[in-house]
Amino acid sequence: MMSVNYYEVLDVKRNALPEDIRKAYRKLALEFHPDRNHELDAEKKFTAIAEAFTVLSTPSLKAIFDNYGSNGLKNGAPKGLDTYTEPWVFGNDPKKVFSDFFGTQNPYQDIFPPLDEMGFGEKPHLSQQLKRIQSAPIVSDLLISLEEAYEGCTKKLKISRKVLNEDGHTTTQRDKILTVNVKPGWKEGTKVTFPKEGDQGPNNIPADVVFVIKYKSHPRFSRKGNDLHHTAEVQLADALCGCGISLLTLDGRDITIPVNDVITPTYTKRVEREGMPHSKNKKEKGDMIIHFNVVFPRNLSQKQKQLVRAGLSAEGSSST
């Protein structure tokens, strides 16, 4: 029986590492797949490649081959006093070896694109015809405070993803830091996309990693468009007689906003250019809009009622 050198079949050295063996099989299997290669001996070579890969990627078979050659596999090799290993003959379907390697039971549809219907024109090399589909985007919220949205900030985010090894097939889990530079004025819903930073694989295009800006709840302000809204609590006397509203702004300034009008249930006070910066021109800003919650006294003494009634009656008389 003629001996076969499986290392020569895969065109690798005898001391080849497992990843070298996988890389060689990947290249040759794509090149000689009979559905794409129509040379007379393509199927025979494809089967020989599958057999060589099976032996060299299976530690027990590889150990027998390295010591006793292919005849040791097919006839049985010594493993002790008067005992031999069971004879081994490649009986697997080479297309199954192929589909198992590439991770699909239907490699013809999922891996190979269809041939040109007319069969004309030069076909690209088979290894260039591998059809890969990009995975769906990986979308996550990126929480920031209103202060960070006002001033802008830098966020460093650690992701964990699968990265292809040198053999082009196996993967290793690795961490990576992605940096998001939040621009002043960015609104909720702003998307930051890192193309192809998802899991790598032999048959897929890595997914895009997408972060969507979301605001944390804020104790003083809410944003609508480029305006900031604040609700101030005022006593009834202040609502009638005027007051000043003290506020800490998002950039850390203490401001006092005078209110001289009578505060009615629908009254609002607009302070120009104290809102959020425009994301495309941070010199432009929205306004701050103050709403009011008037706190009424729970009870009044008879004398207080008389004073209030007299004061409001006098105001009514003077206005007529």
Side-chain angles (χ1 to χ4, degrees):
M1 186 178 295
M2 189 172 66
S3 178
V4 180
N5 188 330
Y6 293 125
Y7 292 105
E8 289 183 358
V9 173
L10 292 185
D11 194 22
V12 295
K13 296 180 180 179
R14 192 174 181 84
N15 61 351
L17 298 174
E19 55 264 31
D20 298 325
I21 294 169
R22 297 184 71 87
K23 188 183 297 184
Y25 172 75
R26 176 185 176 84
K27 174 179 177 295
L28 294 172
L30 286 169
E31 182 175 351
F32 289 102
H33 195 291
D35 282 8
R36 287 291 170 170
N37 190 321
H38 299 297
E39 295 178 5
L40 293 177
D41 61 346
E43 188 164 359
K44 182 178 179 181
K45 287 182 178 179
F46 184 69
T47 301
I49 291 163
E51 179 178 347
F53 175 70
T54 300
V55 171
L56 297 182
S57 63
T58 305
S60 60
L61 297 179
K62 184 176 182 297
I64 295 173
F65 172 72
D66 285 344
N67 287 285
Y68 301 101
S70 62
N71 288 334
L73 284 168
K74 295 171 182 178
N75 298 325
K79 66 173 184 178
L81 292 175
D82 300 326
T83 59
Y84 291 82
T85 59
E86 290 290 329
W88 180 88
V89 177
F90 180 69
N92 201 354
D93 179 355
K95 289 184 178 179
K96 184 177 186 305
V97 176
F98 179 88
S99 62
D100 288 346
F101 181 89
F102 284 100
T104 173
Q105 294 300 320
N106 190 1
Y108 315 111
Q109 177 180 342
D110 298 339
I111 293 179
F112 293 134
L115 286 169
D116 177 41
E117 289 183 359
M118 300 301 295
F120 296 121
E122 183 179 354
K123 301 297 186 297
H125 190 277
L126 187 56
S127 63
Q128 297 174 336
Q129 295 182 20
L130 189 64
K131 182 181 179 182
R132 300 194 302 161
I133 299 174
Q134 185 172 24
S135 302
I138 302 169
V139 182
S140 302
D141 289 343
L142 175 55
L143 289 174
I144 63 172
S145 65
L146 267 178
E147 285 83 358
E148 290 172 324
Y150 185 93
E151 298 277 10
C153 64
T154 298
K155 294 287 188 179
K156 293 187 179 294
L157 308 162
K158 184 170 77 171
I159 64 169
S160 183
R161 60 179 189 152
K162 294 177 182 178
V163 178
L164 274 175
N165 296 322
E166 290 185 1
D167 63 8
H169 184 73
T170 60
T171 59
T172 301
Q173 199 80 15
R174 293 182 185 172
D175 293 336
K176 183 172 183 178
I177 301 297
L178 301 179
T179 301
V180 177
N181 293 312
V182 178
K183 304 298 182 184
W186 271 10
K187 297 179 180 179
E188 277 195 309
T190 300
K191 294 181 179 180
V192 184
T193 300
F194 293 88
K196 301 179 182 178
E197 289 291 355
D199 288 340
Q200 297 177 0
N203 299 321
N204 74 298
I205 299 172
D208 293 341
V209 174
V210 181
F211 293 102
V212 181
I213 298 295
K214 296 290 183 184
Y215 291 160
K216 299 176 184 176
S217 177
H218 198 274
R220 299 188 305 281
F221 298 107
S222 62
R223 177 177 184 170
K224 293 181 181 179
N226 288 317
D227 295 332
L228 286 173
H229 291 253
H230 172 78
T231 298
E233 191 171 89
V234 295
Q235 299 297 318
L236 176 60
D238 293 331
L240 296 174
C241 302
C243 60
I245 305 299
S246 297
L247 272 176
L248 178 65
T249 63
L250 293 177
D251 56 353
R253 293 175 291 119
D254 288 307
I255 62 173
T256 299
I257 301 160
V259 181
N260 298 316
D261 301 323
V262 173
I263 298 174
T264 65
T266 58
Y267 177 81
T268 58
K269 178 75 173 181
R270 181 180 290 269
V271 185
E272 293 184 351
R273 294 183 55 80
E274 285 292 350
M276 295 294 290
H278 293 204
S279 59
K280 295 182 179 179
N281 182 4
K282 65 180 181 180
K283 292 182 180 179
E284 295 292 327
K285 292 183 178 179
D287 298 335
M288 182 186 295
I289 300 173
I290 302 175
H291 307 264
F292 295 89
N293 179 25
V294 179
V295 180
F296 284 75
R298 291 187 176 182
N299 51 68
L300 293 173
S301 66
Q302 192 61 37
K303 183 177 181 180
Q304 288 173 320
K305 291 178 181 180
Q306 291 172 353
L307 290 172
V308 171
R309 190 182 302 276
L312 294 177
S313 298
E315 173 66 21
S317 299
S318 63
S319 63
T320 55

